[in-house]
Amino acid sequence: MDLPSPQSQPHLAQVVPSVLAALDVPGYADTLRLPPITSACVLLIDGLGWELLEQFAEDAPVLAAMSRSPLQVGYPATTVAGLAAIGTGVTSGEHGMTGYTFEVPGVGVLNALRWAGHPGGPDLREQLPPEDAQPLPTTFARAAAAGVDSAVVSDAQFAKSALTEAVQRGGRYVGVFALGDLAASIVQILQKPRSFCYGYHSQLDMLGHVYGPGSPAWRHQLKHVDRLVESIVDSLPAGRMLTVVADHGMIALDESTVDLDATPWLLEGVRVIAGEARARHVYADNGAMDDVLAVWRSELGDRAWVATRDEAIDAGWFGHRVSDRVRPRIGDLVVAARDRFGMVRRTAEPIESSLIGQHGSLTTAEQLVPLAIAYGS
């Protein structure tokens, strides 16, 4: 099987290192070629794909005008991996957040958003401390150590979450409740000399999941996002920069979707299934790998790329380097959906399986996100 390789565009993991290099933080390279700046914010709009922004540019004229090029987000194209790329400056093969859910040896399947066993398992913070799951120093901690006022501006409900601790520790957490205090907090931080903040907005992604990307509800939310960005840009002091990115795009599943829980021949020889509808990790029983591979490739055909762990790693799906710590978290098979195909689990994952909008795979609709930049004058 011919497997796709990473896109030629810069990676989401390059954004914060480039910003910090522009702020003169030691140890980082400005691969995006940014000018020297006094303070900066990286604002991540969850679920805003490059192709979606191009298609609905009339709903987001400010963002569309700022957007200068696409970024690739890497595999899997999902929030956990995207937030970790921002928070560590490396790809999933190094930071280890290899999916919405993935198996951690000795622990079981981790739902990294909830930090609980999946599906429906107990809290795993005590068994798997966040700093053990993701031990690399964060970009926020390194910025703070260099004397930069480093802050995370995100939903107040996430302030004490395990995922926050795993990929955003070291930054001063500023909990917000709506678009108004998100904008106000970012503007306040940017007024300080040599400050860096990361802002996060989640609702565009949520509406894309529930109603579908490009739906009326989604488009109205995009208009609000554009007004958020405009309000920050209008308040940017000289020497300050706002960079808007996303963690993934999104597609709507079609009728080709398969319910894995209702397809018993796809479960034969399978010990665990993790990931999400567009990007699955399949962990095989001992000795069953070859049979599982043959059945999944035969059944899914050209609806998905079905790769062994080694094939996916060699193709660069998880970045140029995959550490020994991370390798066992990747499925024996890595299955990435093509077109608008999905691999749902209506019994084990009823909520996730009911969602219209999905993401995670290697299509350009999921992989490419905007890199939009504005400077204060």
Side-chain angles (χ1 to χ4, degrees):
M1 170 176 282
D2 291 331
L3 300 178
S5 295
Q7 304 286 328
S8 59
Q9 288 80 8
H11 195 284
L12 178 63
Q14 295 173 241
V15 173
V16 173
S18 291
V19 170
L20 294 183
L23 286 169
D24 201 28
V25 174
Y28 286 114
D30 181 8
T31 58
L32 298 183
R33 300 179 180 177
L34 303 174
I37 47 179
T38 302
S39 297
C41 175
V42 173
L43 174 62
L44 190 146
I45 307 300
D46 200 326
L48 180 59
W50 170 265
E51 293 183 3
L52 287 169
L53 180 58
E54 284 198 314
Q55 184 178 357
F56 299 104
E58 65 187 277
D59 296 323
V62 175
L63 260 174
M66 286 171 53
S67 185
R68 67 182 199 180
S69 62
L71 297 167
Q72 62 172 313
V73 299
Y75 190 85
T78 198
T79 299
V80 170
L83 298 193
I86 290 287
T88 63
V90 297
T91 58
S92 57
E94 294 184 71
H95 61 60
M97 299 290 104
T98 56
Y100 167 61
T101 69
F102 53 90
E103 186 175 55
V104 178
V107 176
V109 176
L110 172 72
N111 182 315
L113 287 181
R114 300 185 180 93
W115 216 262
H118 187 81
D123 184 274
L124 293 175
R125 188 188 285 249
E126 184 173 331
Q127 189 175 355
L128 182 65
E131 62 273 15
D132 291 346
Q134 198 300 102
L136 302 178
T138 70
T139 52
F140 306 104
R142 292 180 64 182
V148 174
D149 179 25
S150 175
V152 174
V153 185
S154 187
D155 291 15
Q157 63 177 318
F158 303 143
K160 302 295 184 182
S161 78
L163 181 59
T164 295
E165 180 64 22
V167 303
Q168 295 172 346
R169 62 182 178 268
R172 175 171 56 88
Y173 199 95
V174 180
V176 297
F177 300 92
L179 291 174
D181 56 348
L182 175 59
S185 298
I186 289 172
V187 169
Q188 182 180 31
I189 292 167
L190 286 176
Q191 290 172 347
K192 301 176 182 179
R194 204 158 184 249
S195 61
F196 166 69
C197 76
Y198 159 76
Y200 174 71
H201 176 72
S202 65
Q203 280 107 18
L204 188 71
D205 175 73
M206 178 180 65
L207 295 184
H209 280 303
V210 174
Y211 299 105
S215 63
W218 187 93
R219 292 185 65 180
H220 278 291
Q221 188 65 28
L222 179 60
K223 293 177 182 179
H224 288 298
V225 168
D226 199 58
R227 185 67 186 94
L228 164 72
V229 172
E230 183 180 31
S231 68
I232 298 172
V233 171
D234 287 347
S235 302
L236 278 179
R240 274 66 168 182
M241 179 181 71
L242 174 67
T243 301
V244 184
V245 297
D247 49 352
H248 55 76
M250 187 176 287
I251 59 95
L253 298 185
D254 65 14
E255 64 279 356
S256 68
T257 293
V258 64
D259 181 1
L260 299 177
D261 292 338
T263 315
W265 51 93
L266 287 176
L267 305 180
E268 292 180 5
V270 173
R271 180 173 54 82
V272 170
I273 294 177
E276 56 195 292
R278 294 278 297 170
R280 288 293 182 183
H281 292 291
V282 180
Y283 304 87
D285 289 328
N286 288 336
M289 171 66 179
D290 290 344
D291 290 339
V292 172
L293 175 63
V295 170
W296 278 68
R297 281 184 171 167
S298 174
E299 176 68 19
L300 301 188
D302 61 3
R303 292 180 293 174
W305 294 286
V306 182
T308 66
R309 176 189 292 130
D310 287 343
E311 288 171 341
I313 290 173
D314 290 344
W317 287 11
F318 298 92
H320 296 300
R321 179 176 178 272
V322 175
S323 73
D324 291 340
R325 173 181 60 85
V326 174
R327 182 178 287 267
R329 300 180 181 184
I330 300 170
D332 296 308
L333 298 186
V334 185
V335 187
R338 304 174 71 169
D339 301 318
R340 293 170 60 191
F341 176 61
M343 298 161 282
V344 300
R345 302 187 64 194
R346 301 194 192 281
T347 300
E349 301 170 349
I351 295 175
E352 293 92 333
S353 299
S354 70
L355 300 175
I356 296 171
Q358 299 280 359
H359 52 80
S361 192
L362 292 157
T363 68
T364 57
E366 295 154 286
Q367 280 290 316
L368 299 185
V369 299
L371 174 65
I373 298 178
Y375 297 97
S377 57

